[in-house]
Amino acid sequence: MSVRDPALDAQHIELLELCRAVHDMAQRGGQRSDLCIQRIQEIVQALRKHDQFEMRRLLDRGERLSKQLRINRAKALHQLEELAFALPSRDIPLVKLQSLLCSWIEYHLH
Protein backbone atom coordinates (compact mmCIF):
# COMPACT_ATOMS: atom_id res chain seq x y z
CA MET A 1 0.00 0.00 0.00
CA SER A 2 3.03 2.25 -0.29
CA VAL A 3 2.61 5.61 -2.00
CA ARG A 4 6.40 5.73 -2.41
CA ASP A 5 6.83 8.63 -0.02
CA PRO A 6 8.33 7.49 3.31
CA ALA A 7 6.76 10.31 5.34
CA LEU A 8 3.27 9.71 3.91
CA ASP A 9 3.67 5.95 4.24
CA ALA A 10 4.60 6.38 7.92
CA GLN A 11 1.51 8.51 8.51
CA HIS A 12 -0.70 5.95 6.77
CA ILE A 13 0.74 3.21 8.99
CA GLU A 14 0.11 5.33 12.10
CA LEU A 15 -3.51 5.90 11.06
CA LEU A 16 -4.05 2.23 10.27
CA GLU A 17 -2.60 1.19 13.64
CA LEU A 18 -4.85 3.65 15.48
CA CYS A 19 -7.86 2.29 13.58
CA ARG A 20 -6.85 -1.26 14.43
CA ALA A 21 -6.59 -0.37 18.12
CA VAL A 22 -10.09 1.15 18.13
CA HIS A 23 -11.47 -1.79 16.19
CA ASP A 24 -9.95 -4.26 18.66
CA MET A 25 -11.43 -2.35 21.62
CA ALA A 26 -14.83 -2.22 19.96
CA GLN A 27 -14.81 -5.94 19.25
CA ARG A 28 -14.32 -6.48 22.98
CA GLY A 29 -17.25 -4.14 23.71
CA GLY A 30 -15.15 -1.16 24.71
CA GLN A 31 -16.24 1.38 22.13
CA ARG A 32 -17.64 3.69 24.81
CA SER A 33 -14.53 3.54 27.00
CA ASP A 34 -12.51 6.67 27.63
CA LEU A 35 -9.49 5.05 25.98
CA CYS A 36 -11.41 4.21 22.82
CA ILE A 37 -12.81 7.73 22.57
CA GLN A 38 -9.31 9.12 23.12
CA ARG A 39 -7.96 6.91 20.30
CA ILE A 40 -10.69 8.13 17.92
CA GLN A 41 -9.78 11.70 18.80
CA GLU A 42 -6.15 10.81 18.04
CA ILE A 43 -7.24 9.45 14.66
CA VAL A 44 -9.05 12.71 13.91
CA GLN A 45 -6.00 14.79 14.87
CA ALA A 46 -3.59 12.54 12.94
CA LEU A 47 -5.84 12.50 9.88
CA ARG A 48 -6.22 16.28 9.88
CA LYS A 49 -2.43 16.69 10.18
CA HIS A 50 -1.87 14.06 7.50
CA ASP A 51 -4.28 15.66 5.04
CA GLN A 52 -2.55 19.02 5.37
CA PHE A 53 0.89 17.47 5.00
CA GLU A 54 -0.16 15.40 2.00
CA MET A 55 -1.71 18.40 0.25
CA ARG A 56 1.55 20.34 0.67
CA ARG A 57 3.54 17.37 -0.68
CA LEU A 58 1.30 17.11 -3.72
CA LEU A 59 1.49 20.84 -4.40
CA ASP A 60 5.29 20.68 -4.12
CA ARG A 61 5.21 18.08 -6.91
CA GLY A 62 2.82 20.15 -9.00
CA GLU A 63 -0.11 17.82 -8.35
CA ARG A 64 -3.59 18.41 -6.97
CA LEU A 65 -6.37 16.24 -5.69
CA SER A 66 -9.63 16.48 -7.56
CA LYS A 67 -12.35 18.61 -6.00
CA GLN A 68 -14.50 15.51 -5.42
CA LEU A 69 -11.68 13.68 -3.66
CA ARG A 70 -11.07 16.70 -1.40
CA ILE A 71 -14.80 16.77 -0.58
CA ASN A 72 -14.82 13.02 0.15
CA ARG A 73 -11.78 13.33 2.42
CA ALA A 74 -13.37 16.21 4.33
CA LYS A 75 -16.57 14.19 4.71
CA ALA A 76 -14.66 11.17 6.07
CA LEU A 77 -12.87 13.40 8.59
CA HIS A 78 -16.14 15.04 9.63
CA GLN A 79 -17.76 11.63 10.16
CA LEU A 80 -14.90 10.61 12.45
CA GLU A 81 -15.26 13.86 14.40
CA GLU A 82 -18.96 13.14 14.85
CA LEU A 83 -18.16 9.59 15.93
CA ALA A 84 -15.80 10.84 18.65
CA PHE A 85 -18.50 13.23 19.84
CA ALA A 86 -21.33 10.65 19.74
CA LEU A 87 -19.69 7.61 21.32
CA PRO A 88 -19.85 8.66 24.97
CA SER A 89 -23.61 9.13 24.86
CA ARG A 90 -24.93 6.40 22.56
CA ASP A 91 -24.30 2.91 21.38
CA ILE A 92 -23.05 2.67 17.84
CA PRO A 93 -23.29 -0.76 16.19
CA LEU A 94 -19.91 -2.39 15.55
CA VAL A 95 -20.54 -2.53 11.78
CA LYS A 96 -21.21 1.23 11.68
CA LEU A 97 -18.14 1.91 13.77
CA GLN A 98 -16.01 -0.22 11.44
CA SER A 99 -17.39 1.58 8.40
CA LEU A 100 -16.63 5.02 9.85
CA LEU A 101 -13.15 3.98 10.93
CA CYS A 102 -12.32 2.74 7.46
CA SER A 103 -13.95 5.52 5.47
CA TRP A 104 -10.77 7.60 5.24
CA ILE A 105 -8.84 4.71 3.69
CA GLU A 106 -11.00 4.69 0.58
CA TYR A 107 -9.99 8.27 -0.19
CA HIS A 108 -6.31 8.11 0.75
CA LEU A 109 -4.70 5.12 -0.85
CA HIS A 110 -5.20 5.91 -4.53
Side-chain angles (χ1 to χ4, degrees):
M1 293 181 8
S2 174
V3 295
R4 294 182 178 91
D5 182 316
L8 292 174
D9 287 342
Q11 290 178 353
H12 288 151
I13 290 168
E14 175 190 9
L15 285 161
L16 289 168
E17 290 299 324
L18 285 168
C19 287
R20 180 178 292 128
V22 170
H23 180 264
D24 290 348
M25 282 184 244
Q27 283 194 309
R28 293 189 307 271
Q31 64 260 41
R32 290 179 68 184
S33 71
D34 290 342
L35 181 59
C36 187
I37 294 163
Q38 178 183 343
R39 292 292 178 261
I40 293 171
Q41 291 168 342
E42 289 171 9
I43 292 169
V44 168
Q45 291 170 357
L47 187 56
R48 186 178 293 118
K49 180 180 169 185
H50 168 74
D51 280 349
Q52 292 170 354
F53 179 77
E54 189 171 45
M55 293 295 277
R56 284 192 306 270
R57 283 291 241 246
L58 289 170
L59 288 174
D60 289 346
R61 295 191 309 233
E63 301 174 31
R64 283 188 60 126
L65 294 175
S66 71
K67 181 178 179 180
Q68 188 58 54
L69 192 53
R70 290 192 313 269
I71 289 168
N72 290 343
R73 285 183 171 201
K75 181 179 175 183
L77 178 60
H78 181 71
Q79 288 173 334
L80 286 171
E81 290 170 332
E82 286 184 340
L83 175 64
F85 181 75
L87 268 180
S89 61
R90 55 183 243 242
D91 287 324
I92 296 182
L94 182 58
V95 172
K96 173 117 174 132
L97 177 66
Q98 290 168 329
S99 174
L100 292 172
L101 281 175
C102 296
S103 63
W104 71 269
I105 296 169
E106 180 180 355
Y107 304 116
H108 278 78
L109 303 179
H110 288 269

